[in-house]
Amino acid sequence: MLNVPSQSFPGPSSQQRVASGGRSKVPLKQGRSLMDWIRLTKSGKDLTGLKGRLIEVTEEELKKHNKKDDCWICIRGFVYNVSPYMEYHPGGEDELMRAAGSDGTDLFDQVHRWVNYESMLKECLVGRMAMKPALPKGMLPQSQVTDTLAKESPSSPSYDWFQTDSLVTIVIYTKQKDINLDSVIVDHRDDSFRAETVIKDYSYLVHVALSHEIQEDFSVLVVENVGKIEIVLKKKENTSWKRLGHPQENHNSIIPKKDTGLFYRKCQLVSKEDVTHDTKLFCLMLPPSTHLQVPVGQHVYLKLPITGTEIVKPYTPVSDSLFSEFKEPVLPNNIYIYFLIKIYPAGFFTPELDHLQIGDYVSVSNPEGNFIISQLQELEDLFLLAAGTGFTPMVKVLNYALTNIPSLRKVKLMFFNKTEDDIIWRSQLEKLAFKDKRFEVEFVLSVPTSEWSGKQGYISPALLSEFLKRSSDTSKVLICLCGPTPFTEQGMKMLHDLNFSKDEIHSFTA
């Protein structure tokens, strides 16, 4: 619903857009860019019409403000006057008006729940909704938790803890069998300890202010067949703890994943290297007080302060190369996250990212995404269709499939770019095709030189029908698709026209 107000955030043709959902941008008037909006919010002008007052807003009052020149919208319990923002919104006024005078949280989440609206609209804040007595945001009553998970589990998750002279072990019992190391995210800051376990479409949270100090590093172990997670903390002093600590927000609760909000930690830039003329491989290092592994096919959000406003953009992590062994790590856990990022000189976010020095910090969110790794199980044919940096989600999918799926007969990548110079990791792809006979790659260029002897043009039914040949009539197939919005939309339509079912297609959109 709300979008970051920038003609270049992300770039209109950026393949790094995680989602578009078919939204179309509208041309903005001169003087209505993101920078213009930031200048307006810092001008001191009253954007709420309340002269600096914050009020409590009832549902009845909210409903009255439903016109373009008087438009209030509620997002997660806070009400904003978005009328001044109308002309700065790349999605257009009509998209904002869909939530006029109402709670727009669901509409917002459908499009860009990652957008830092609190920062973008802080000068438009009218106040808080007058809330009816309720459970804390997103929290489900215990009976509903049990009912929700009843189909797969006899009871809801729980936790316990025990100690030795030098260690404290927190044990989370998920009662689920598909739990692994990337199911749990642990952050320890000062005395605050936070462990979020993803269980299907829900998050189970253990969140406490620890009663004693611990050392920075810790270990995470998972017993997969029973769904038990053990987090082993090291005491700073060998004293006996009478209690684990004081409960913090949403402690020992299970919350729908979509309601959890994004949690960030600061990661250090440790390397940056050129991959093509405009694409670089960034390596970020997680703090020692964090355990986080991004599941295959999921993305995170990078956050940077730019001209006093926090700007957020989604990226899919990759391996450090196509030849990284894809094995689930035992201790020590992976501490590095890699990103292939195209730098847009006229953009707003990527030049700032590119200007970071080694040792600087970037905030990284928890992972999100709807790709399910079980889609790859018992797969025989995997087809990957990527345009530009739409290649990034394919990297880990490709690595995982070749390493972990015994039934796999072939993996084929059709990689669309403008020129030869734009092809990311071309030599690695060609080397991998030579090394592993199950893998094939075809490059398609839209602006080739006269010397180019390969395929050229754009995605088309003719190209796809030739490319998408099953190993057998009954082979299990998955087609993954990622690129700019027009590429993805056209590709999806062509695949349906070629009689591939929805279950055989995964489009990397939010």
Side-chain angles (χ1 to χ4, degrees):
M1 205 266 311
L2 289 179
N3 194 0
V4 172
S6 166
Q7 291 168 301
S8 57
F9 176 75
S13 61
S14 169
Q15 295 92 344
Q16 292 164 323
R17 295 178 70 94
V18 172
S20 176
R23 291 183 312 114
S24 58
K25 287 192 171 186
V26 298
L28 296 177
K29 297 177 183 176
Q30 189 71 25
R32 295 297 182 268
S33 69
L34 174 58
M35 281 302 302
D36 294 311
W37 172 251
I38 291 174
R39 289 190 193 100
L40 177 61
T41 63
K42 295 183 183 300
S43 67
K45 185 176 179 181
D46 178 15
L47 299 183
T48 65
L50 298 174
K51 299 180 180 177
R53 290 182 300 122
L54 291 178
I55 64 173
E56 193 172 63
V57 183
T58 62
E59 288 185 19
E60 293 71 22
E61 181 65 23
L62 179 63
K63 288 176 184 177
K64 296 176 184 176
H65 302 270
N66 61 359
K67 302 176 182 65
K68 287 185 179 180
D69 59 354
D70 180 20
C71 181
W72 290 8
I73 293 175
C74 174
I75 306 176
R76 295 196 175 89
F78 291 93
V79 179
Y80 299 89
N81 179 359
V82 299
S83 301
Y85 178 55
M86 287 280 181
E87 293 186 340
Y88 297 83
H89 182 233
E93 295 179 355
D94 291 345
E95 192 176 357
L96 282 176
M97 288 302 297
R98 290 172 64 196
S102 67
D103 190 326
T105 305
D106 287 344
L107 285 171
F108 173 83
D109 285 345
Q110 287 170 20
V111 181
H112 278 322
R113 69 179 291 257
W114 50 273
V115 169
N116 194 344
Y117 64 90
E118 297 102 323
S119 178
M120 300 299 299
L121 296 175
K122 62 185 177 183
E123 299 304 325
C124 299
L125 180 63
V126 171
R128 188 188 288 269
M129 283 296 293
M131 301 298 289
K132 298 170 184 174
L135 288 168
K137 178 181 73 67
M139 192 180 295
L140 300 178
Q142 190 69 20
S143 59
Q144 192 174 338
V145 170
T146 306
D147 291 344
T148 301
L149 297 175
K151 294 176 183 177
E152 293 85 14
S153 171
S155 58
S156 58
S158 61
Y159 82 100
D160 201 352
W161 70 284
F162 57 88
Q163 63 181 313
T164 65
D165 287 344
S166 59
L167 303 174
V168 170
T169 301
I170 298 171
V171 184
I172 298 172
Y173 303 97
T174 68
K175 287 98 170 178
Q176 305 289 311
K177 291 185 177 180
D178 54 353
I179 298 296
N180 51 47
L181 279 173
D182 58 23
S183 302
V184 60
I185 303 159
V186 182
D187 289 279
H188 170 240
R189 295 179 189 167
D190 302 320
D191 67 341
S192 175
F193 173 87
R194 187 182 192 278
E196 180 178 340
T197 305
V198 178
I199 306 172
K200 301 187 181 350
D201 294 327
Y202 292 82
S203 286
Y204 174 66
L205 195 62
V206 174
H207 191 194
V208 295
L210 296 173
S211 60
H212 293 73
E213 291 186 349
I214 61 171
Q215 296 180 38
E216 206 170 27
D217 60 317
F218 55 84
S219 59
V220 180
L221 306 169
V222 173
V223 184
E224 293 190 23
N225 59 342
V226 294
K228 183 174 75 170
I229 300 165
E230 294 185 359
I231 304 165
V232 183
L233 312 176
K234 300 175 184 175
K235 296 178 178 179
K236 270 199 173 177
E237 297 180 357
N238 293 347
T239 56
S240 178
W241 293 18
K242 293 182 179 179
R243 61 177 182 270
L244 181 61
H246 297 287
Q248 302 295 290
E249 183 182 8
N250 288 342
H251 171 61
N252 196 26
S253 65
I254 188 159
I255 302 169
K257 189 82 171 66
K258 65 182 180 64
D259 294 335
T260 57
L262 291 170
F263 188 84
Y264 289 85
R265 72 281 304 148
K266 289 188 176 180
C267 297
Q268 191 172 36
L269 178 64
V270 295
S271 70
K272 179 173 58 173
E273 61 183 60
D274 292 335
V275 175
T276 70
H277 63 100
D278 61 3
T279 301
K280 298 186 178 185
L281 181 67
F282 290 77
C283 177
L284 300 179
M285 182 172 66
L286 290 164
S289 56
T290 291
H291 164 87
L292 183 154
Q293 292 178 200
V294 182
V296 173
Q298 295 201 7
H299 55 273
V300 297
Y301 301 99
L302 304 186
K303 181 168 68 174
L304 283 176
I306 301 175
T307 62
T309 300
E310 290 183 327
I311 304 297
V312 184
K313 192 172 179 184
Y315 292 97
T316 304
V318 298
S319 311
D320 58 341
S321 84
L322 287 176
F323 298 95
S324 303
E325 287 300 316
F326 200 106
K327 300 292 184 185
E328 194 162 62
V330 191
L331 296 177
N333 295 327
N334 287 345
I335 61 171
Y336 299 110
I337 308 180
Y338 295 88
F339 299 92
L340 283 166
I341 297 177
K342 182 175 179 179
I343 308 301
Y344 294 88
F348 196 72
F349 188 88
T350 56
E352 291 291 329
L353 195 62
D354 193 31
H355 290 153
L356 292 178
Q357 302 298 309
I358 303 302
D360 286 346
Y361 287 86
V362 182
S363 293
V364 178
S365 78
N366 286 4
E368 290 205 334
N370 57 7
F371 184 83
I372 302 170
I373 198 75
S374 60
Q375 293 176 92
L376 299 174
Q377 298 306 316
E378 300 179 6
L379 197 66
E380 294 170 84
D381 299 332
L382 175 61
F383 297 103
L384 308 174
L385 303 171
T389 46
F391 169 65
T392 57
M394 309 303 179
V395 174
K396 285 194 173 185
V397 171
L398 177 61
N399 268 350
Y400 184 89
L402 288 174
T403 309
N404 293 281
I405 308 300
S407 58
L408 195 68
R409 294 183 182 182
K410 68 179 176 185
V411 182
K412 292 179 70 176
L413 168 67
M414 182 169 276
F415 196 0
F416 295 82
N417 286 278
K418 287 184 179 179
T419 69
E420 284 186 79
D421 290 341
D422 295 321
I423 301 174
I424 296 170
W425 282 354
R426 179 179 180 179
S427 62
Q428 288 194 44
L429 288 165
E430 291 172 339
K431 182 179 176 182
L432 182 62
F434 178 79
K435 181 180 176 182
D436 193 322
K437 298 308 178 187
R438 295 172 298 169
F439 176 63
E440 299 175 31
V441 60
E442 292 185 19
F443 302 112
V444 184
L445 301 183
S446 59
V447 190
T449 61
S450 55
E451 290 80 24
W452 177 252
S453 58
K455 288 185 167 60
Q456 51 186 285
Y458 299 89
I459 191 169
S460 68
L463 274 178
L464 293 186
S465 58
E466 180 187 348
F467 178 71
L468 300 169
K469 296 194 181 300
R470 299 173 183 260
S471 297
S472 69
D473 291 340
T474 58
S475 62
K476 184 179 177 183
V477 171
L478 180 66
I479 305 167
C480 294
L481 183 71
C482 189
T485 304
F487 172 88
T488 304
E489 291 178 347
Q490 291 167 26
M492 291 289 286
K493 183 179 185 305
M494 292 172 195
L495 292 173
H496 289 308
D497 290 344
L498 290 170
N499 296 319
F500 288 98
S501 69
K502 287 184 178 180
D503 292 340
E504 294 176 323
I505 304 169
H506 181 85
S507 173
F508 282 98
T509 55

